[in-house]
């Protein structure tokens, strides 16, 4: 259960952290509590796995990662955990999910790979496929970002 | 361009910001510099477009949300219009145009299956949308957006 006070913390964090000496003090004020309580509750949420992490997201294209591919494979159900675990150790992989396939589209394993250029990206995808004995790959390179923002959660009210 | 210190700072803050009253002071100590320098550089990196934001990332499942990945095949001349309609939903956090047989991919988070169904029904009916795949996540193996600089 997420308590009402925790929801206030989640909402106060919706716009991210200000770049200042005591960012949590600023957010605590917004949430109507003391910095100490804000931090201890946030720490609890982290322990429970509700909070994954506090950290920065960079503009990866600006920083030189211009090849960003969503790759899809068909992996037998009984191998999903083994393959998913192996792929999640790849540094170039940001997201790795299994998904329920649909009738016209049997692909059930999805991996986002980021690299400086497409050649490198292809090499990484090929190596992953080799290492994990995966078959045919569908690759979708991003060509335009229409939206990328953090989720604004609503709850507790 | 990014200096060696900028790269170190971006790597460190991407990794994790400590849950401490003075998180940037801790990062500064680790990088053998001072808090003021960290704050100044981060502000500059943000203005220069390298840093998108410093945020808190929650496990949406734990907050009662369910996520799905949706792929659309849209006729090219209608794509901008469809992309903008998709963007209007607050549960859509990522929306990318991609090369391939499905050319618009977005993530959708909602609090109920009904809400997802309604939104997707509406989007599927838009002029120019030829096909739609709904791919709800079965198992999450990794979500870690970190770029080593």
């Amino acid at each position: 259960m997420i308590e009402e006070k925790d929801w206030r913390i989640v909402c106060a964090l919706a716009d991210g952290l200000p770049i200042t000496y005591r960012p949590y003090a600023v957010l605590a004020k917004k949430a109507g509590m003391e910095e100490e309580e804000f931090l201890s509750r946030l720490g609890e949420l982290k322990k429970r796995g509700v909070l994954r992490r506090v950290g920065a997201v960079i503009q990866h294209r600006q920083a030189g990662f211009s090849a960003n591919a969503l790759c899809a494979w068909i992996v037998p159900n009984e191998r999903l955990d083994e393959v998913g675990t192996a792929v999640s150790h790849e540094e170039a992989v940001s997201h790795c999910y299994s998904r329920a396939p649909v009738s016209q589209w049997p692909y059930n394993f999805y991996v986002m790979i980021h690299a400086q250029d497409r050649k490198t990206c292809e090499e990484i995808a090929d190596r992953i496929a080799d290492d994990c004995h995966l078959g045919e790959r569908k690759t979708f390179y991003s060509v335009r970002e229409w939206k990328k923002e953090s989720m604004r959660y609503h709850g507790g009210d | 361009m990014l200096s060696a210190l900028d790269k170190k700072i971006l790597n460190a803050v991407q990794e994790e910001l400590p849950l401490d009253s003075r998180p940037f002071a801790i990062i500064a100590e680790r990088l053998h510099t001072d808090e003021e320098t960290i704050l100044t550089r981060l502000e500059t990196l943000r203005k220069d477009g390298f840093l998108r934001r410093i945020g808190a990332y929650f496990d949406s499942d734990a907050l009662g949300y369910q996520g799905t990945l949706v792929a659309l095949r849209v006729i090219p001349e209608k794509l901008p219009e469809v992309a903008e309609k998709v963007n209007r939903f607050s549960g859509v956090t990522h929306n990318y145009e991609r090369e391939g047989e499905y050319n618009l991919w977005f993530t959708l988070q909602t609090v109920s299956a009904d809400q997802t169904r309604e939104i997707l029904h509406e989007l599927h009916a838009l002029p120019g949308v030829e096909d739609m795949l709904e791919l709800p996540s079965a198992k999450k193996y990794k979500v870690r957006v970190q770029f080593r600089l």
Side-chain angles (χ1 to χ4, degrees), chain A residues 73 113 121-131 137:
Chain A
W73 282 278
I113 300 174
C121 202
E122 290 290 315
E123 284 167 5
I124 295 167
D126 287 346
R127 187 174 45 71
I128 287 174
D130 270 2
D131 288 353
R137 159 168 56 97

Side-chain angles (χ1 to χ4, degrees), chain B residues 10-74:
Chain B
L10 287 176
N11 284 338
V13 292
Q14 279 188 94
E15 179 78 36
E16 178 130 47
L17 205 71
L19 299 182
D20 183 276
S21 176
R22 303 274 291 273
F24 299 108
I26 295 175
I27 300 273
E29 205 184 326
R30 266 185 224 156
L31 300 181
H32 309 292
T33 178
D34 56 88
E35 193 181 16
E36 180 75 45
T37 305
I38 298 283
L39 291 170
T40 312
R41 291 313 307 158
L42 282 175
E43 198 48 66
T44 306
L45 288 165
R46 196 162 62 105
K47 280 200 195 100
D48 292 349
F50 288 100
L51 173 66
R52 205 187 276 269
R53 80 202 290 260
I54 299 176
Y57 297 91
F58 292 95
D59 178 357
S60 49
D61 297 354
L63 293 178
Y65 283 73
Q66 40 192 272
T68 188
L69 175 69
V70 183
L72 299 181
R73 182 183 299 141
V74 188

Side-chain angles (χ1 to χ4, degrees), chain A residues 7 151 153-155, chain B residues 63-66 109-116:
Chain A
W7 273 115
M151 182 66 192
Y153 298 101
H154 301 279
Chain B
L63 293 178
Y65 283 73
Q66 40 192 272
Q109 292 183 60
T110 64
V111 287
S112 72
D114 282 351
Q115 200 186 355
T116 300

Side-chain angles (χ1 to χ4, degrees), chain A residues 2 7 10 13-24 35 39 42-43 46 49-60 62-63 65 68-70 80-81 84-85 88 90-91 93-100 102 104-105 109-110 112 114 118 138-151 153-154, chain B residues 10 13-24 35-36 39 42-43 46 48-60 62-63 65 68-69 79-80 83-84 87 89-102 104-105 109 131-145 147-149:
Chain A
I2 312 290
W7 273 115
V10 172
L13 281 159
D15 293 314
L17 272 77
I19 298 172
T20 183
Y21 292 95
R22 290 173 60 192
Y24 299 110
E35 182 190 24
L39 277 167
L42 200 54
K46 178 91 199 285
V50 176
L51 173 68
R52 295 207 317 263
R53 73 181 174 121
V54 175
V57 173
I58 65 165
Q59 299 271 17
H60 56 279
Q62 174 89 349
F65 289 81
N68 303 281
L70 175 67
L80 275 172
D81 282 355
T85 306
S88 64
E90 292 282 339
E91 190 173 285
V93 168
S94 64
H95 298 74
C96 176
Y97 283 83
S98 64
R99 300 182 177 280
V102 286
Q104 81 268 36
W105 187 257
F109 187 67
Y110 293 80
M112 268 306 306
H114 308 269
R118 288 198 182 192
K138 289 282 184 186
T139 308
F140 300 90
Y141 280 102
S142 66
V143 288
R144 180 163 176 181
E145 178 184 295
W146 284 93
K147 187 178 189 182
K148 183 176 190 293
E149 53 184 52
S150 299
M151 182 66 192
Y153 298 101
H154 301 279
Chain B
L10 287 176
V13 292
Q14 279 188 94
E15 179 78 36
E16 178 130 47
L17 205 71
L19 299 182
D20 183 276
S21 176
R22 303 274 291 273
F24 299 108
E35 193 181 16
E36 180 75 45
L39 291 170
L42 282 175
E43 198 48 66
R46 196 162 62 105
D48 292 349
F50 288 100
L51 173 66
R52 205 187 276 269
R53 80 202 290 260
I54 299 176
Y57 297 91
F58 292 95
D59 178 357
S60 49
L63 293 178
Y65 283 73
T68 188
L69 175 69
L79 196 131
E84 272 160 29
N87 281 357
F89 292 97
S90 63
V92 171
T93 52
H94 297 62
N95 183 15
Y96 283 89
E97 185 175 334
R98 299 184 182 278
E99 287 176 7
E101 53 208 285
Y102 291 90
L104 193 66
W105 293 74
Q109 292 183 60
D131 193 14
M132 170 185 275
L133 300 175
E134 190 198 346
L135 303 160
S137 62
K139 192 160 174 183
K140 190 187 294 178
Y141 292 102
K142 183 178 191 182
V143 181
R144 190 75 180 89
V145 184
F147 299 91
R148 185 72 54 196
L149 300 172

